[in-house]
Amino acid sequence: MRADRLVSLVLLLRQRGQLTAHTLARELDVSTRTVLRDIEALSAAGVPVYSERGRHGGFALLPGFRTELTGLNHDEALALLAAGSGRGEQVFGLGSQLASAMRKVLDALPEGHRATASDAARRFLVDPDTDLLSRRSAADEIPDATMIEIRRAVLAGHKLRIHYEATGRAPRWRTVDPIGLVTVRDRGYLLATRSGADRTYRLSRVLAAEELPEAAQRPDQVDLDRIWQERSTQFLSGSDHITVLVRVKPARREDLLDTALAVRAEEPDADGWLRLKVTFQDSRHAEWALWQLATDAEALTPQSLRTSLRNRAEAIATRYGAPS
């Protein structure tokens, strides 16, 4: 909305001082012509913005001008700035709105605290793109137009029509009653019901979405945390899932957990290794996950998994032959 953009423009000038039209356009994700029109609108509304011409010119506010936002203390603003330092573009398509909110939070602080909080927030890094082993996080990518339709339907309490591609199936349209949105480790989910039955949809598999005018059939009050826990339990009790008892070197524990669906139990083993009971999606998933760990892990049960891993190792040994 233009009103939000105008506020963001003022906050950018307040916090960074003189900026060129090109820089403002890049920050606000609009054209330079739009920025110039916005500058004219602000001047007409009495905001003291002026231009400096020349090679090092740009736009700036008269000294002393500020918008008034009160009620945040230093630590409250720092908490919000730190939370906003993650990959906000993954938060249900609200990346640009998050950036705008962070500018408003920073501007809400008293003059003497603003620089301190901004510097402190730079000392926090939330969910970087890679871990210490340079492995990139595979965050879900959801088209903005699709996410906007889903978000509108959830908040308005309207039915939602989605073109969904379930695993191993052809995409098809279905109409659902949206309940809420959940994000876990950069993966987004839509909690909904369909014909009265519980449904959980991975947002990255929604190819298109359309908010419908009909009211959704859902309770007025919702406890998303409870619903998510219930659906997680239901998911883990799927008929194809397999629970495996594993011995693993402590240094490879996180690698194991990255591939498992859930950890049911964990305790140290006698030789310094760890003994874990973990759940995988199915036997093929378990075999693949344990194979990645080579000799740094050992499947203790079930016997069928041990047999599969041994057969695979024997096939590899046969393929490459005896050492010369």
Side-chain angles (χ1 to χ4, degrees):
M1 296 177 61
R2 191 187 188 198
D4 290 333
R5 190 175 69 243
L6 292 175
V7 171
S8 290
L9 194 156
V10 171
L11 294 178
L12 281 169
L13 294 177
R14 271 194 44 74
Q15 294 162 16
R16 301 192 192 178
Q18 184 172 289
L19 295 173
T20 65
H22 176 74
T23 299
L24 288 167
R26 185 180 67 249
E27 290 288 339
L28 299 172
D29 196 24
V30 296
S31 67
T32 303
R33 181 174 297 181
T34 297
V35 168
L36 296 178
R37 286 200 300 264
D38 288 348
I39 293 291
E40 291 180 3
L42 289 172
S43 296
V47 178
V49 58
Y50 67 94
S51 62
E52 288 282 352
R53 300 186 181 277
R55 180 179 178 184
H56 301 290
F59 296 98
L61 294 169
L62 288 178
F65 176 79
R66 64 170 285 123
T67 55
E68 291 298 332
L69 288 172
T70 59
L72 286 177
N73 62 36
H74 178 272
D75 286 345
E76 289 171 340
L78 177 58
L80 290 173
L81 290 169
S85 67
R87 284 170 286 169
E89 69 276 7
Q90 300 300 330
V91 185
F92 307 129
L94 293 171
S96 60
Q97 291 86 345
L98 178 62
S100 175
M102 290 303 101
R103 287 192 288 268
K104 294 177 183 177
V105 168
L106 194 60
D107 195 72
L109 293 175
E111 187 74 33
H113 292 169
R114 195 174 304 133
T116 302
S118 180
D119 179 70
R122 295 191 188 100
R123 309 288 176 177
F124 301 152
L125 178 60
V126 181
D127 288 336
D129 288 336
T130 62
D131 62 14
L132 285 175
L133 299 179
S134 297
R135 296 173 300 191
R136 296 191 63 84
S137 299
D140 282 349
E141 294 185 4
I142 309 160
D144 288 343
T146 300
M147 193 65 249
I148 288 172
E149 288 293 308
I150 295 173
R151 194 171 67 237
R152 284 176 177 171
V154 169
L155 297 179
H158 290 168
K159 287 184 178 293
L160 180 67
R161 188 166 176 259
I162 58 175
H163 194 213
Y164 191 74
E165 184 178 21
T167 304
R169 301 179 184 177
R172 65 185 183 90
W173 287 94
R174 59 199 76 190
T175 299
V176 302
D177 295 300
I179 295 174
L181 294 167
V182 176
T183 179
V184 181
R185 296 181 180 177
D186 292 327
R187 294 181 178 179
Y189 300 89
L190 168 67
L191 305 187
T193 60
R194 182 164 174 259
S195 300
D198 292 343
R199 293 289 185 269
T200 302
Y201 299 102
R202 179 87 170 266
L203 290 177
S204 61
R205 294 176 183 153
V206 179
L207 305 181
E210 178 186 1
E211 178 191 3
L212 302 178
E214 296 92 343
Q217 300 299 311
R218 66 182 191 180
D220 294 333
Q221 302 297 324
V222 64
D223 184 348
L224 277 187
D225 186 61
R226 177 185 59 78
I227 294 174
W228 180 253
Q229 292 298 328
E230 291 175 351
R231 298 199 179 184
S232 296
T233 300
Q234 182 181 7
F235 176 75
L236 291 174
S237 62
S239 58
D240 291 336
H241 292 172
I242 181 174
T243 299
V244 179
L245 184 61
V246 183
R247 292 178 69 252
V248 63
K249 286 185 177 179
R252 302 302 302 275
R253 175 183 180 275
E254 293 303 318
D255 295 326
L256 173 65
L257 299 190
D258 282 345
T259 60
L261 292 178
V263 179
R264 300 300 183 91
E266 179 177 354
E267 62 182 9
D269 212 359
D271 56 1
W273 285 34
L274 298 174
R275 183 177 292 239
L276 293 90
K277 184 178 290 186
V278 295
T279 299
F280 292 101
Q281 185 169 334
D282 52 35
S283 57
R284 292 180 61 187
H285 178 206
E287 180 181 337
W288 172 84
L290 270 297
W291 184 259
Q292 310 308 307
L293 299 177
T295 57
D296 290 337
E298 178 187 3
L300 302 178
T301 62
Q303 183 59 44
S304 59
L305 177 59
R306 291 178 60 88
T307 301
S308 297
L309 289 167
R310 184 181 66 246
N311 291 342
R312 177 184 281 210
E314 289 175 349
I316 291 292
T318 299
R319 173 62 58 89
Y320 288 100
S324 57

